[in-house]
Amino acid sequence: MAPPELTQWLFNPIYSQARHTEHRRLLVLSGEYEWVNKSLTSILSDIPPTLIVKEVGAENSLRRKHLLGNECDIGVVHAHQGFNPGNLMAIAGTIRWGGCLILCCPTLDAWHLHTRPSHLSHGFTASPSLYIKRLVAILKNDKHVAIWSSNNSHIPDWVAGDTVNLLNRLNPVTSESSINQVVSENAHATQPLDGEETRRPQFKSVEQQAAFDCLTNKWSQGNRKAVITAPRGRGKSALLGMFVASRLKKGEKIVITSAIRENTSTLFKHIRIGIGIDIESSNSEKKAQGSLAANCGTDSNGATNSNGASNSNGTTDANGSTDDESGIAGTVTKAAFAVEDFVSEAVSHQASESEKSGSAQWLAPDNPALINGDYDLLIIDEAASFPLPVLKLLIGAHDNYVISTTLQGYEGSGQGFMQRMLPAFNAEGALHLSLSTPLRWIQNDKLESLIHNICLFEGTESFNTFSGAPPEILRELRQELRQKLQQKAPPDKFSGDYRIGLVSALSEHELHCVMQLLATAHYQTTPDDFMRLCDSPDIVLFTQWADSRLIAAAIINCEGGEPLADVREGIANGSRRPKGHLGAQRLTLLTANPSTASYRYWRINRIAVAPHLQGRGLGRGLVSFINEQASAQNIDALTSSYGASDKLNHFWQQCGFTLVDMGEKPNKASGETSALVVKSISERFGPQQEVLSCLFTHSQATDIVPISKLPTITRNTLIKKLNQFVDATRPLNQVSLAINALAAEVSVSTQCAKHTESPIKTCTSETDEVTPELLLLLTNSPLPTNKLIKLLGVNGRKALTESLRKKIGNMLASTTI
């Protein structure tokens, strides 16, 4: 049973009337799996059902992407089956004022010895987790963290005389339903901002109010493109909901989309608040009936009244006034609102007879109506979680839009939004508003600080960037900052102080510098990446420093060689895809040669240069240093895989790398096609470089050349791949070019046979027959799969592949190559 003093310390803030001034708390439950589970059950057994508990990491718990836009009082992270820092950050971001986080984990002193890394590359052995060891040290040294194990407990700031059991005499302070009075009364204590006395009651901070006013003013001036960014818990969804409500009163037709439907619950709650729907009545009726309608009007005196009466058809009526900018009062209707699972979400506002109706509805990102529909305003919530191509498509289809997103967090895509989309928005003159004041918890919350310290992911600069300044002003400020930094670090100081080593050798300050630079420079950095960098035995870190400041860094993955000895045959024929070794595997698959996997590679996974120093050759200098070290350590080749662009292609070319492969399809997240480059280091890798270059030249050719006319290196490799395809180890998408060349060869042979009357081998059965129509389709690039399916009379891609294997086998047998 949980010690009563522990549960009192943990839950007292939730039951306090001053909950909105209390820090959130963290309890670590440490021990064997069964003991921790029983202890957790004991702790949670007496809490009232009004408290919201969310869990991640357990077998049937929520996936962390479903936590966006949600709130809870108690968050639980299960770590016995594996620990993900992103889970910790995700659920911590949902816990509101005075709430608590419970971390369930193995015994602290042994936890780092029994981790189950999900990122371990094939052939490498897991070692004790540096990340977990650091995490445990942080937890033990933080005086605000409670730790309870089977043989010990530590309770922060506990006064032995405080034995009053508040659980038995107080009800927890619940979250606000509309504009909670508790929030308003305590707002001054929790948000001590200048001008607090001027804050209107519907806003939780002066900053949120200023952002709303700025947005509506720009809208009335015709600037109808805006981006709202902020860390989590800063009130983006609430701000967006209030703005949508104001546009509904204008009679506008609004469409809202998000990656996950449930993540817009807070947004729709504030829309309903903004148009005068009583949330408590809505929730009660929603559970009872599954739908509701509310009428909102103004009486002759302009007074507002609400009776919440239920009519005969099971809907709820509530009368009240709404004032829009033109002084028109109308009808607010909530329609098609699903019970609990947000199957659909729609809000409509009926104006006077002479005005059009306003409506807001949620649509899935892939709904064609998002592109083809006639809407006055597009709202995209958590835009950084969208693939960039989808985001660009949606924005391109709408003249008016407001986009909100978290720039940094467990999603790991926010920096991509900053790099790829914000410059385009600025070029269009879109308003950029950034919120910094926490509203879900208090300023300087201890739990938020602890999470940032653990993850080393969020930068302090992300918390003070509220700015509606014009782009030209921001450019001037950046230029001024750049000049100051360059004065502090002249060019000649950037030539040295290169370092190579393991992440485990870095100091805490150096760790922080590395993670901040990587998060700033790369669009897919997540909190889980930090753990991967710390614990992966195949990672080497290269850095460059100037006056104790990190100015460039590169993450290197050691690949190929002895770790792949047992699987290189399978990699070469396409039957095996072991974890890790991305560059070595792609090269081996390209050449269809097992010996390619036996070479030792360093893959430059990520390379980053401080933003204010980019364009000065620092990246090339760091790559040159990596090249020198690779040669000294008998590495055969350097590789790198990246999203292809003219700028990056030029960079790698300048560094002496050769492009040897391009992906078939754009990356879903970035919209860019993956490119693979190689630089030979050892002499023995030279023949492999030649093979790769010949294969790439063939892949880029526009003409289909018969396979017998290709260079010997290319021909032999393509034939090997075709045989592997026939043997059902290599997939169809990896032999399409080889099939083109073979089909061209068979077509030429068939024509020659007709003219010379020379016999050629024929198929043994009708199902293996290769017709002229089939040959014609097989010489198309890319292969027209739908037409092939129709011609061969098969059902689906799998059946097509099986049919083609037989026909390709017959073509190989009937052709002398």
Side-chain angles (χ1 to χ4, degrees):
M1 182 176 178
E5 60 270 24
L6 176 64
T7 56
Q8 290 172 31
W9 173 86
L10 190 63
F11 297 128
N12 274 359
I14 297 179
Y15 293 84
S16 170
Q17 294 301 320
R19 172 177 178 174
H20 298 86
T21 65
E22 293 280 356
H23 290 281
R24 300 175 300 163
R25 301 190 173 189
L26 171 62
L27 167 65
V28 177
L29 276 181
S30 168
E32 297 296 327
Y33 178 77
E34 291 77 11
W35 181 87
V36 168
N37 271 354
K38 289 181 181 179
S39 301
L40 178 65
T41 301
S42 172
I43 288 174
L44 300 180
S45 60
D46 292 329
I47 64 171
T50 52
L51 293 182
I52 299 174
V53 180
K54 292 188 181 297
E55 303 184 46
V56 293
E59 185 175 348
N60 297 317
S61 60
L62 287 171
R63 296 180 63 184
R64 64 192 188 202
K65 66 179 182 180
H66 290 276
L67 294 172
L68 274 173
N70 290 284
E71 293 182 343
C72 69
D73 302 288
I74 302 168
V76 181
V77 177
H78 297 273
H80 281 84
Q81 305 303 319
F83 178 73
N84 298 105
N87 285 345
L88 186 71
M89 177 177 278
I91 202 162
T94 69
I95 302 170
R96 53 198 173 199
W97 326 268
C100 59
L101 175 64
I102 301 175
L103 172 60
C104 300
C105 64
T107 303
L108 289 181
D109 291 339
W111 186 7
H112 67 289
L113 300 174
H114 305 290
T115 56
R116 301 180 181 180
S118 60
H119 49 264
L120 190 65
S121 293
H122 184 87
F124 288 89
T125 304
S127 55
S129 171
L130 168 68
Y131 186 94
I132 296 298
K133 193 171 184 179
R134 175 182 176 274
L135 169 62
V136 169
I138 291 174
L139 294 174
K140 285 184 174 182
N141 292 326
D142 193 316
K143 64 180 181 180
H144 303 295
V145 174
I147 299 176
W148 182 27
S149 64
S150 57
N151 55 12
N152 188 31
S153 64
H154 164 70
I155 305 173
D157 302 323
W158 175 248
V159 180
D162 287 344
T163 57
V164 178
N165 189 349
L166 296 178
L167 298 177
N168 294 328
R169 69 182 185 87
L170 287 178
N171 291 320
V173 180
T174 59
S175 62
E176 70 277 23
S177 56
S178 54
I179 299 298
N180 193 303
Q181 191 64 27
V182 175
V183 178
S184 299
E185 291 176 351
N186 290 280
H188 184 74
T190 58
Q191 336 292 347
L193 300 176
D194 293 339
E196 182 65 28
E197 65 279 0
T198 66
R199 179 173 59 82
R200 300 190 293 277
Q202 65 266 40
F203 300 102
K204 293 185 181 179
S205 72
V206 171
E207 180 187 58
Q208 190 182 61
Q209 176 177 294
F212 179 86
D213 291 344
C214 184
L215 184 58
T216 53
N217 289 340
K218 292 290 185 181
W219 220 257
S220 64
Q221 296 169 13
N223 184 355
R224 301 200 164 191
K225 304 179 192 300
V227 182
I228 303 171
T229 62
R232 300 190 70 197
R234 265 64 183 177
K236 297 185 305 298
S237 296
L239 172 62
L240 205 55
M242 288 186 281
F243 178 71
V244 170
S246 72
R247 304 319 301 173
L248 284 176
K249 296 176 185 179
K250 286 291 192 179
E252 293 186 358
K253 187 178 180 182
I254 302 167
V255 63
I256 299 168
T257 190
S258 61
I260 298 176
R261 185 171 45 214
E262 293 87 344
N263 292 347
T264 59
S265 58
T266 299
L267 190 157
F268 272 96
K269 181 182 78 171
H270 283 85
I271 294 175
R272 294 192 293 272
I273 293 171
I275 60 179
I277 292 180
D278 183 86
I279 299 300
E280 293 298 330
S281 299
S282 298
N283 290 339
S284 299
E285 191 64 30
K286 177 179 67 174
K287 292 177 181 179
Q289 304 293 340
S291 64
L292 65 86
N295 295 321
C296 184
T298 305
D299 62 21
S300 58
N301 298 319
T304 301
N305 57 67
S306 177
N307 54 32
S310 179
N311 61 24
S312 59
N313 62 9
T315 62
T316 301
D317 294 333
N319 296 319
S321 67
T322 60
D323 297 321
D324 61 11
E325 296 176 14
S326 59
I328 298 173
T331 302
V332 180
T333 304
K334 172 69 175 64
F337 181 64
V339 182
E340 289 294 337
D341 57 354
F342 285 84
V343 171
S344 61
E345 177 74 277
V347 179
S348 63
H349 180 280
Q350 179 68 46
S352 66
E353 295 182 359
S354 62
E355 296 288 331
K356 64 178 180 179
S357 299
S359 66
Q361 65 173 339
W362 182 91
L363 293 178
D366 59 353
N367 192 315
L370 273 177
I371 303 298
N372 305 321
D374 182 19
Y375 298 101
D376 299 302
L377 173 61
L378 167 69
I379 301 291
I380 303 180
D381 193 33
E382 290 300 343
S385 61
F386 279 61
L388 292 181
V390 174
L391 197 56
K392 292 176 180 178
L393 182 65
L394 293 178
I395 291 169
H398 295 269
D399 294 326
N400 306 328
Y401 58 77
V402 178
I403 293 168
S404 78
T405 195
T406 305
L407 287 181
Q408 288 184 313
Y410 61 90
E411 305 88 351
S413 53
Q415 288 302 317
F417 184 87
M418 286 287 288
Q419 295 181 45
R420 311 298 174 85
M421 296 303 296
L422 278 185
F425 292 138
N426 291 336
E428 290 186 357
L431 175 67
H432 180 199
L433 300 171
S434 183
L435 304 174
S436 62
T437 304
L439 302 179
R440 193 172 292 160
W441 47 80
I442 68 173
Q443 285 274 34
N444 302 315
D445 177 71
K446 291 182 175 62
L447 180 59
E448 183 177 40
S449 298
L450 177 64
I451 296 299
H452 293 167
N453 188 23
I454 291 172
C455 295
L456 293 186
F457 193 68
E458 303 268 2
T460 54
E461 70 276 3
S462 64
F463 297 103
N464 55 8
T465 55
F466 174 73
S467 173
E472 60 271 14
I473 300 293
L474 296 177
R475 282 195 294 268
E476 291 177 5
L477 291 173
R478 292 191 189 101
Q479 180 63 27
E480 180 180 351
L481 176 61
R482 186 180 296 111
Q483 291 174 351
K484 289 181 178 179
L485 289 169
Q486 289 175 348
Q487 289 172 1
K488 291 181 179 179
D492 60 348
K493 289 196 176 182
F494 297 146
S495 58
D497 203 8
Y498 291 110
R499 304 177 192 175
I500 175 175
L502 302 177
V503 175
S504 58
L506 297 178
S507 68
E508 188 68 19
H509 169 72
E510 290 168 339
L511 274 175
H512 193 277
C513 291
V514 168
M515 286 308 299
Q516 285 297 300
L517 180 57
L518 291 176
T520 300
H522 201 276
Y523 73 94
Q524 287 184 331
T525 301
T526 71
D528 296 341
D529 289 335
F530 181 23
M531 186 172 185
R532 187 173 297 112
L533 294 181
C534 289
D535 294 348
S536 295
D538 57 329
I539 284 181
V540 179
L541 175 68
F542 283 81
T543 55
Q544 184 181 5
W545 302 79
D547 295 334
S548 300
R549 293 181 301 112
L550 180 66
I551 59 176
I555 302 298
I556 305 298
N557 285 80
C558 302
E559 300 184 346
E562 187 60 30
L564 292 182
D566 62 329
V567 291
R568 58 191 183 190
E569 292 283 348
I571 295 173
N573 65 33
S575 64
R576 294 292 303 272
R577 293 187 64 182
K579 184 169 290 187
H581 303 274
L582 183 150
Q585 288 201 69
R586 283 180 68 181
L587 294 177
T588 304
L589 200 58
L590 282 171
T591 60
N593 184 355
S595 66
T596 306
S598 65
Y599 294 97
R600 298 178 63 206
Y601 304 91
W602 272 0
R603 177 168 61 89
I604 302 177
N605 187 337
R606 297 186 182 182
I607 184 167
V609 174
H612 63 280
L613 297 174
Q614 290 176 4
R616 304 183 62 183
L618 294 178
R620 293 194 303 275
L622 184 58
V623 172
S624 178
F625 177 65
I626 294 171
N627 192 104
E628 294 173 5
Q629 294 299 313
S631 179
Q633 299 194 31
N634 298 318
I635 299 300
D636 294 298
L638 299 178
T639 70
S640 187
S641 181
Y642 60 94
S645 66
D646 291 341
K647 181 179 180 181
L648 287 178
N649 291 343
H650 180 65
F651 170 79
W652 290 110
Q653 185 180 20
Q654 285 186 311
C655 292
F657 285 70
T658 302
L659 184 61
V660 295
D661 188 34
M662 289 289 291
E664 293 184 351
K665 297 180 180 179
N667 180 276
K668 290 182 179 180
S670 67
E672 297 170 340
T673 302
S674 175
L676 179 66
V677 291
V678 176
K679 183 178 183 180
S680 178
I681 301 296
S682 69
E683 290 186 7
R684 74 188 193 107
F685 191 77
Q688 292 294 316
Q689 183 86 46
E690 183 182 1
V691 172
L692 290 165
S693 296
C694 289
L695 291 172
F696 184 70
T697 299
H698 172 252
S699 71
Q700 300 303 299
T702 56
D703 298 329
I704 304 298
V705 179
I707 199 167
S708 65
K709 304 299 182 183
L710 294 172
T712 303
I713 290 176
T714 306
R715 181 175 65 252
N716 291 343
T717 304
L718 295 187
I719 292 173
K720 186 182 293 187
K721 291 181 178 180
L722 287 169
N723 282 311
Q724 291 168 350
F725 174 69
V726 172
D727 292 339
T729 59
R730 188 175 287 265
L732 177 60
N733 67 331
Q734 292 179 10
V735 292
S736 57
L737 293 177
I739 290 175
N740 292 157
L742 178 62
E745 182 72 28
V746 174
S747 295
V748 170
S749 299
T750 302
Q751 293 299 322
C752 291
K754 286 181 179 180
H755 291 297
T756 63
E757 297 183 354
S758 298
I760 62 171
K761 295 180 181 179
T762 59
C763 57
T764 57
S765 68
E766 186 175 336
T767 57
D768 295 337
E769 183 182 1
V770 180
T771 64
E773 293 82 4
L774 177 59
L775 285 176
L776 182 62
L777 291 180
L778 293 180
T779 54
N780 281 275
S781 181
L783 291 175
T785 53
N786 291 335
K787 291 182 179 180
L788 286 168
I789 288 172
K790 184 177 180 180
L791 176 66
L792 297 176
V794 295
N795 184 20
R797 187 179 178 90
K798 183 176 180 180
L800 171 65
T801 300
E802 293 301 319
S803 177
L804 286 179
R805 282 191 172 122
K806 295 177 182 178
K807 295 183 184 297
I808 297 301
N810 180 64
M811 291 165 65
L812 285 170
S814 64
T815 305
T816 302
I817 305 174

Short mmCIF file of all heavy atoms in Angstrom, two decimals, residues 2 23 117 177 263 356 367 369 432 435 617 655 676 691 697-698 700 703 707 718 730 739 760:
data_model
loop_
_atom_site.label_atom_id
_atom_site.label_comp_id
_atom_site.label_asym_id
_atom_site.label_seq_id
_atom_site.Cartn_x
_atom_site.Cartn_y
_atom_site.Cartn_z
N ALA A 2 0.45 2.23 -0.76
CA ALA A 2 1.24 3.45 -0.86
C ALA A 2 1.26 4.20 0.47
O ALA A 2 0.23 4.31 1.14
CB ALA A 2 0.67 4.35 -1.95
N HIS A 23 2.99 23.87 -8.86
CA HIS A 23 3.83 23.13 -9.81
C HIS A 23 3.31 21.72 -9.98
O HIS A 23 2.71 21.14 -9.07
CB HIS A 23 5.27 23.07 -9.29
CG HIS A 23 5.99 24.37 -9.31
ND1 HIS A 23 6.54 24.89 -10.45
CD2 HIS A 23 6.25 25.27 -8.32
CE1 HIS A 23 7.11 26.05 -10.17
NE2 HIS A 23 6.95 26.31 -8.89
N PRO A 117 17.24 -1.84 -26.28
CA PRO A 117 17.32 -0.83 -27.34
C PRO A 117 16.59 -1.28 -28.60
O PRO A 117 16.77 -2.42 -29.07
CB PRO A 117 18.82 -0.68 -27.59
CG PRO A 117 19.42 -1.96 -27.11
CD PRO A 117 18.57 -2.41 -25.96
N SER A 177 -14.90 24.32 -17.75
CA SER A 177 -15.85 23.85 -18.75
C SER A 177 -16.03 24.89 -19.83
O SER A 177 -15.98 24.61 -21.00
CB SER A 177 -17.18 23.52 -18.09
OG SER A 177 -17.67 24.65 -17.40
N ASN A 263 -7.41 15.12 -31.88
CA ASN A 263 -6.52 16.19 -31.44
C ASN A 263 -7.15 17.57 -31.53
O ASN A 263 -6.58 18.54 -31.02
CB ASN A 263 -5.22 16.17 -32.26
CG ASN A 263 -4.39 14.93 -31.98
OD1 ASN A 263 -4.63 14.21 -31.03
ND2 ASN A 263 -3.42 14.67 -32.84
N LYS A 356 -25.62 34.83 -45.11
CA LYS A 356 -25.35 33.41 -45.29
C LYS A 356 -24.98 32.76 -43.95
O LYS A 356 -24.53 33.43 -43.02
CB LYS A 356 -24.21 33.21 -46.28
CG LYS A 356 -22.87 33.77 -45.83
CD LYS A 356 -21.81 33.48 -46.88
CE LYS A 356 -20.45 34.04 -46.42
NZ LYS A 356 -19.39 33.76 -47.42
N ASN A 367 -9.28 13.97 -47.53
CA ASN A 367 -10.63 14.17 -48.07
C ASN A 367 -10.54 15.11 -49.27
O ASN A 367 -10.03 16.23 -49.16
CB ASN A 367 -11.54 14.77 -47.00
CG ASN A 367 -13.00 14.73 -47.40
OD1 ASN A 367 -13.35 15.08 -48.53
ND2 ASN A 367 -13.85 14.35 -46.47
N ALA A 369 -12.60 16.99 -50.56
CA ALA A 369 -13.30 18.27 -50.35
C ALA A 369 -12.36 19.34 -49.81
O ALA A 369 -12.62 20.54 -49.96
CB ALA A 369 -14.47 18.07 -49.40
N HIS A 432 3.05 35.84 -38.67
CA HIS A 432 3.57 34.78 -37.82
C HIS A 432 3.46 35.22 -36.37
O HIS A 432 4.10 36.17 -35.94
CB HIS A 432 5.04 34.48 -38.16
CG HIS A 432 5.63 33.40 -37.31
ND1 HIS A 432 6.98 33.21 -37.16
CD2 HIS A 432 5.05 32.44 -36.54
CE1 HIS A 432 7.21 32.20 -36.36
NE2 HIS A 432 6.05 31.71 -35.96
N LEU A 435 3.55 32.08 -29.40
CA LEU A 435 3.16 32.21 -28.00
C LEU A 435 4.22 31.61 -27.08
O LEU A 435 4.82 30.59 -27.42
CB LEU A 435 1.82 31.51 -27.77
CG LEU A 435 0.66 31.97 -28.65
CD1 LEU A 435 -0.56 31.08 -28.41
CD2 LEU A 435 0.33 33.42 -28.41
N GLY A 617 32.03 27.47 -45.65
CA GLY A 617 32.90 26.31 -45.88
C GLY A 617 33.14 25.44 -44.67
O GLY A 617 33.97 24.52 -44.73
N CYS A 655 32.45 18.08 -51.95
CA CYS A 655 33.19 17.28 -50.97
C CYS A 655 33.81 16.02 -51.58
O CYS A 655 34.42 15.22 -50.87
CB CYS A 655 32.27 16.89 -49.81
SG CYS A 655 31.73 18.28 -48.78
N LEU A 676 21.74 8.77 -52.60
CA LEU A 676 22.85 8.08 -51.94
C LEU A 676 24.14 8.46 -52.64
O LEU A 676 24.25 8.31 -53.86
CB LEU A 676 22.65 6.57 -51.98
CG LEU A 676 23.75 5.72 -51.33
CD1 LEU A 676 23.78 5.94 -49.83
CD2 LEU A 676 23.52 4.23 -51.64
N VAL A 691 31.64 -0.12 -60.50
CA VAL A 691 30.37 -0.82 -60.71
C VAL A 691 29.19 0.09 -60.40
O VAL A 691 28.22 0.18 -61.17
CB VAL A 691 30.31 -2.09 -59.83
CG1 VAL A 691 28.92 -2.73 -59.90
CG2 VAL A 691 31.37 -3.09 -60.25
N THR A 697 24.70 5.27 -64.13
CA THR A 697 24.59 5.82 -65.49
C THR A 697 23.47 5.14 -66.26
O THR A 697 22.67 5.80 -66.94
CB THR A 697 25.93 5.64 -66.23
OG1 THR A 697 26.95 6.34 -65.55
CG2 THR A 697 25.82 6.16 -67.66
N HIS A 698 23.37 3.82 -66.12
CA HIS A 698 22.30 3.09 -66.79
C HIS A 698 20.93 3.49 -66.25
O HIS A 698 19.96 3.63 -67.01
CB HIS A 698 22.51 1.59 -66.61
CG HIS A 698 21.35 0.75 -67.11
ND1 HIS A 698 20.50 0.11 -66.25
CD2 HIS A 698 20.90 0.49 -68.37
CE1 HIS A 698 19.57 -0.52 -66.96
NE2 HIS A 698 19.81 -0.31 -68.24
N GLN A 700 19.94 6.27 -65.17
CA GLN A 700 19.54 7.62 -65.56
C GLN A 700 19.31 7.76 -67.06
O GLN A 700 18.90 8.82 -67.53
CB GLN A 700 20.61 8.62 -65.11
CG GLN A 700 20.86 8.65 -63.61
CD GLN A 700 19.59 8.93 -62.82
OE1 GLN A 700 18.99 9.99 -62.97
NE2 GLN A 700 19.19 7.99 -61.98
N ASP A 703 16.82 6.16 -72.88
CA ASP A 703 16.53 5.15 -73.89
C ASP A 703 16.65 3.75 -73.29
O ASP A 703 17.49 3.49 -72.42
CB ASP A 703 17.50 5.27 -75.07
CG ASP A 703 17.37 6.60 -75.78
OD1 ASP A 703 16.24 7.15 -75.79
OD2 ASP A 703 18.39 7.09 -76.31
N ILE A 707 19.72 -5.62 -73.40
CA ILE A 707 20.66 -5.98 -72.35
C ILE A 707 22.02 -6.42 -72.90
O ILE A 707 23.06 -6.20 -72.26
CB ILE A 707 20.04 -7.06 -71.43
CG1 ILE A 707 20.78 -7.11 -70.09
CG2 ILE A 707 19.99 -8.40 -72.11
CD1 ILE A 707 20.05 -7.91 -69.03
N LEU A 718 22.70 -6.82 -64.02
CA LEU A 718 21.27 -6.88 -64.30
C LEU A 718 20.79 -8.32 -64.44
O LEU A 718 19.70 -8.68 -63.98
CB LEU A 718 20.93 -6.09 -65.57
CG LEU A 718 21.16 -4.57 -65.52
CD1 LEU A 718 20.62 -3.92 -66.78
CD2 LEU A 718 20.50 -3.96 -64.29
N ARG A 730 14.30 -11.19 -54.79
CA ARG A 730 14.34 -9.75 -55.06
C ARG A 730 12.95 -9.29 -55.53
O ARG A 730 12.35 -9.90 -56.41
CB ARG A 730 15.40 -9.43 -56.11
CG ARG A 730 15.64 -7.94 -56.32
CD ARG A 730 16.78 -7.73 -57.30
NE ARG A 730 18.08 -8.03 -56.69
CZ ARG A 730 18.86 -7.13 -56.13
NH1 ARG A 730 18.49 -5.86 -56.10
NH2 ARG A 730 20.01 -7.50 -55.61
N ILE A 739 14.25 -5.51 -66.30
CA ILE A 739 13.17 -6.06 -67.11
C ILE A 739 13.04 -5.29 -68.41
O ILE A 739 12.83 -5.87 -69.49
CB ILE A 739 11.85 -6.07 -66.32
CG1 ILE A 739 11.91 -7.12 -65.21
CG2 ILE A 739 10.66 -6.34 -67.24
CD1 ILE A 739 10.70 -7.14 -64.30
N ILE A 760 13.90 -19.82 -82.30
CA ILE A 760 14.22 -19.43 -80.93
C ILE A 760 13.44 -20.34 -80.00
O ILE A 760 12.44 -20.97 -80.39
CB ILE A 760 13.86 -17.95 -80.65
CG1 ILE A 760 12.35 -17.73 -80.83
CG2 ILE A 760 14.63 -17.03 -81.55
CD1 ILE A 760 11.89 -16.37 -80.38
#
